[in-house]
C-alpha cells in the first residue's frame, strides 16, 4: 500500500456506506437525517456521495461530515448551507452561506491552504486544531478551541489564537477570549464523531500528536509544505 493511500486511510478510516473514501475534498464521509447535495437528497445507498466542484451541501434536520481536504474534516450542523468553491490535493476553499461547521484539522500544511468564506471575510485555518464557524447570513463568528486561525476582511488580517473568538461583521472583526465551544447539539455530535472515528481506526494506525502535526504512518509527520509524491503514490 502506498504511503499516501495509507495516510488517507488513517485520516478518515470510515467506510461510506460500504465503500472506502476516495480522499477528495468535498467527499461526504458520514451523514445523518435530511442532507442534500445540489438539492438532491442523500440516501443510505448512495455510492461515495460528494459535493463536487462548485457543489453545494444543504442540511435541514440533518448533519454531515465532509472531508475538508487531505488532513482535515468538517462537520456541518443542521439548517446549514455549504459550497465547495475550489479544491486541490491538500487545499480547499468553501463558502458558508448559513449555519455552523466545526473543522477538525489534523494538519494545516503551509498555514494558507484551508479557507472558509464567510460573507465578505475569509477564515483561514493556520495550524492544526479545532475551530467552529457560524454565520447567519449577515454576521459570523469564529471560535478556536485549539490550534489557530485568521480572518481577512477589507484588507486587514486578524489572528485568532487558541481559546479566542472573532465576531465577523461588515464593520470589522472583534476578538475576545472564550473557554471553548458552546455546549450545544453540534459540539456534542462533533465530539461523538471524534470518538466514533477513533474507535473505527486500528490501534496501530491511530494518529499521534507531534509539535508539527499528526503522524500518519507512526514515524514522520507531514510538516509545513511537505507533500507526498502523488506520481509515486499511484493515486
Amino acid at each position: 500500500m502506498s504511503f499516501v493511500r495509507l495516510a488517507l486511510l488513517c485520516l478518515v478510516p470510515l467506510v461510506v456506506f460500504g465503500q472506502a473514501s476516495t480522499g477528495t475534498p468535498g467527499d461526504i464521509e458520514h451523514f445523518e437525517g435530511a442532507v442534500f447535495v445540489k438539492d438532491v437528497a442523500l440516501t443510505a445507498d448512495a455510492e461515495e456521495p460528494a459535493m463536487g466542484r462548485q457543489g453545494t451541501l444543504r442540511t435541514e434536520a440533518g448533519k454531515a461530515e465532509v472531508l475538508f481536504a487531505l488532513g482535515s474534516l468538517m462537520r456541518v450542523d443542521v439548517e446549514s448551507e455549504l459550497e465547495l468553491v475550489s479544491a486541490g490535493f491538500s487545499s480547499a476553499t468553501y463558502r458558508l452561506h448559513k449555519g455552523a461547521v466545526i473543522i477538525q484539522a489534523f494538519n494545516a500544511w503551509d498555514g494558507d491552504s484551508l479557507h472558509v468564506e464567510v460573507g465578505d471575510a475569509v477564515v483561514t485555518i493556520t495550524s492544526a486544531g479545532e475551530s467552529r464557524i457560524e454565520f447567519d447570513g449577515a454576521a459570523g463568528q469564529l471560535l478556536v478551541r485549539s490550534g489557530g486561525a485568521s480572518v481577512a476582511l477589507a484588507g486587514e488580517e486578524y489572528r485568532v489564537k487558541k481559546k479566542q473568538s472573532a465576531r465577523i461583521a461588515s464593520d470589522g472583526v472583534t476578538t475576545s477570549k472564550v473557554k471553548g465551544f458552546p455546549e450545544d447539539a453540534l459540539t456534542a455530535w462533533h465530539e461523538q464523531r471524534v470518538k466514533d472515528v477513533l474507535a473505527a481506526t486500528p490501534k496501530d494506525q491511530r494518529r499521534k500528536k507531534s509539535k508539527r502535526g499528526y503522524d500518519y504512518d507512526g514515524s514522520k509527520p507531514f510538516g509545513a509544505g511537505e507533500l507526498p509524491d502523488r506520481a509515486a503514490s499511484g493515486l
Side-chain angles (χ1 to χ4, degrees), residues 2-4 89 222 226-235:
S2 70
F3 174 76
V4 176
F89 185 52
F222 291 165
E226 294 180 357
L227 295 177
D229 185 350
R230 294 193 70 185
S233 72
L235 291 178

Side-chain angles (χ1 to χ4, degrees), residues 32-36 39 57-63 76-81 98:
E32 303 171 10
V35 177
F36 302 80
D39 289 325
L57 181 148
R58 177 172 57 85
T59 62
E60 292 182 355
K63 302 179 286 289
V76 186
D77 198 13
V78 299
E79 302 294 337
S80 298
E81 185 174 332
K98 67 173 184 177

Side-chain angles (χ1 to χ4, degrees), residues 9 14 17 20-21 27 61 63-65 82 86 120 126 141 154 157 172 177-178 184 190-191 201 206 229:
L9 291 177
L14 301 177
F17 304 116
S21 167
D27 280 0
K63 302 179 286 289
E65 182 176 84
L82 182 72
S86 63
D120 294 328
T126 57
Q141 184 178 35
E157 183 175 12
K177 293 183 179 180
V178 293
D184 60 7
H190 161 68
E191 292 176 348
T201 308
R206 292 181 181 178
D229 185 350

Side-chain angles (χ1 to χ4, degrees), residues 7-8 11 19 21 31 80 82 90-91 95 114 129 140 168 182 187 228:
L8 292 174
L11 280 170
Q19 299 199 24
S21 167
F31 71 88
S80 298
L82 182 72
S90 60
S91 63
R95 171 168 284 276
L114 310 176
I168 305 168
T187 297

Side-chain angles (χ1 to χ4, degrees), residues 106-135:
F106 302 112
N107 198 312
W109 304 104
D110 60 0
D112 191 26
S113 297
L114 310 176
H115 309 283
V116 179
E117 298 175 353
V118 181
D120 294 328
V122 178
V123 174
T124 299
I125 305 302
T126 57
S127 59
E130 294 177 309
S131 298
R132 174 170 169 155
I133 304 172
E134 303 171 3
F135 186 55

Side-chain angles (χ1 to χ4, degrees), residues 113-176:
S113 297
L114 310 176
H115 309 283
V116 179
E117 298 175 353
V118 181
D120 294 328
V122 178
V123 174
T124 299
I125 305 302
T126 57
S127 59
E130 294 177 309
S131 298
R132 174 170 169 155
I133 304 172
E134 303 171 3
F135 186 55
D136 63 8
Q141 184 178 35
L142 165 68
L143 298 96
V144 177
R145 181 155 74 174
S146 59
S150 67
V151 180
L153 177 65
E156 299 289 337
E157 183 175 12
Y158 305 83
R159 293 286 179 176
V160 186
K161 301 179 181 179
K162 175 182 177 181
K163 292 188 178 181
Q164 284 189 331
S165 72
R167 179 184 176 275
I168 305 168
S170 58
D171 58 350
V173 175
T174 305
T175 61
S176 59

